[in-house]
Amino acid sequence: MRNFAGALALTMTCALALPVFAQETPVAGAVKEGSLEGKTLTFVSYGGIYQDGQVAALQEFVEKSGVTLLNDGPTEIAKLKAQVDAGNVTWDVVDTADLPPYVHCGTLFQKLDFSKLDVSKIPPGQVGECSVPAMNYGVIFMYKTETYKDNPPQNWVDFFDTEKFPGSRAIDGSGDPTGGLIEQAFKAAGGDPKAITPDDIEKGIQKLRDLGPDTIYWKTGAESQQLAESGEADMIMMWTGRAMTAAKNGAAYTPVWQDWLVVMDQMTIPVGVKDTDAAYALLNAYLGQRSQEILTEKTSYTPIHMDAKPQVDEITASFLTSTPERIAQGYQQNIPFWVENFDLAAEKWNALLSGN
C-alpha cells in the first residue's frame, strides 16, 4: 500500500507540474531551439527598407527556431478579407496601419492571447485587443528657427495661433485625416479632446481652415521634407523620419515635441491561420529587445521595446520616440472615436482639402 500511495503521490505531483511547463511565462525575444523545425510562416508587411529591416530583426528567430520564413506584401485588407472569407488564410503575421486591427478586431484579426506574448516592455497604451505595435514614429511640427528666434511655439495650440505666431503652415494632406491633428485643432478652438463628439469634428476642421489661404497641404513625405530643406513654410507638420532626414540635410528648423502624435504600425495574427502557436512565436520574438534594436538600426524607426538601445547616430537618436521623456510628451489619438466616426471625418477632411 505504501508503494502504491507513493507512486500515486508521485504521479499526481507530475500531473500537477505539467501545466506549469505548458503555460511557461513568455519572454519577449526568447526563442526555443528547433521549436519550429519543418514549419513555414508567411510574414506580410509594406516592402522596401522597412520590411527588409523587419526580416533582419527576425533572423535570429529563423535561425534558432528552424522555421522557414516567407515574405509577402504589401498589406491589403481586401486581400486578407478574401482569404478569411474563403477559409484559406496564407498570411500568418500581418503588419497593418493604425486603425484596421480596431475596425476588424475579431473578424479579420484574432483577439490576442496575452499568455503567449510578453508585452511588458511596450510603451503604455499601445497594446490593442487584436494587435501589438510593430514600430513607432511620430507626427510633430517643425518651426523655422530664424522666424521665431527667442519666442518659439511650444505646442499644437501655438501652431494654430496665427496672431501670436504669424507665418505660413504646412500640413499633411497625403491621405486620410489624422485624428490626433483634428483633436489638437479642437483643443486650440477651446474644446476638450477627451470629450470630443461627432459634432466637434467640424470645429476642429474649421480651426484648420482658419490658418489661412497660404496653408500648404503636402501630398508626400518627400514633399514635406523638401519644404523644410527649402525653408518654404514657417511651421511644418512632419513625420519624424522625414523631419530627421531634413535635419541631417541641414534644414534650419527646430522640432516641437510636446503632444507629438503617436503613430504605430500594428502587428496582427489573422483569423484562421493554420498554426496559431507558430504565429505567436514569431510575434513574441519580434517584440524582443535585440530584434527591436536591429529594426531601428536598419530603418531608423523607433523601437517598441522600452529597454532597446539601438546604435544610431546623434541626430537619429534625437528623433526616436522611445525615451521616457518622449513617451511622457506623446499624445495618443482617441482610436475608438475615430474608428466609429471615420466616414464623417473623411468627408469633412476631403471637403477641407478641396477648398470647401
Side-chain angles (χ1 to χ4, degrees), residues 9 23 60 156 164 174 188 260 297:
Q23 297 176 10
E60 182 182 2
W156 287 101
K164 187 176 178 181
S174 63
W260 64 273
E297 290 163 3

Side-chain angles (χ1 to χ4, degrees), residues 122-252:
I122 295 175
Q126 295 194 20
V127 176
E129 189 176 12
C130 285
S131 61
V132 294
M135 54 79 176
N136 275 181
Y137 65 98
V139 173
I140 58 174
F141 72 89
M142 303 271 280
Y143 67 84
K144 192 186 291 185
T145 311
E146 178 63 24
T147 299
Y148 301 105
K149 297 180 180 176
D150 297 330
N151 183 36
Q154 302 292 320
N155 51 43
W156 287 101
V157 172
D158 291 346
F159 180 90
F160 288 103
D161 189 341
T162 54
E163 291 187 10
K164 187 176 178 181
F165 301 97
S168 59
R169 271 58 165 176
I171 290 174
D172 180 359
S174 63
D176 293 332
T178 302
L181 177 68
I182 299 174
E183 290 179 45
Q184 291 296 324
F186 176 55
K187 180 180 179 180
D192 177 4
K194 293 181 180 178
I196 193 169
T197 69
D199 289 340
D200 295 327
I201 295 174
E202 180 58 34
K203 295 176 184 177
I205 295 290
Q206 185 58 49
K207 197 66 179 177
L208 285 156
R209 286 194 189 94
D210 292 345
L211 289 174
D214 60 349
T215 302
I216 300 167
Y217 289 91
W218 50 262
K219 299 301 183 186
T220 66
E223 184 183 352
S224 73
Q225 182 182 324
Q226 181 57 39
L227 289 170
E229 292 178 14
S230 65
E232 195 170 331
D234 294 296
M235 296 189 202
I236 309 173
M237 175 184 177
M238 299 185 75
W239 305 328
T240 47
R242 287 295 183 175
M244 174 197 69
T245 305
K248 286 184 176 182
N249 290 343

Side-chain angles (χ1 to χ4, degrees), residues 96-104 264 266 333 335-336 338-339 342:
T96 78
D98 258 12
L99 295 184
Y102 294 90
V103 176
H104 305 291
M264 53 191 168
Q266 307 273 11
Q333 65 177 329
I335 289 178
W338 295 111
V339 168
F342 180 81

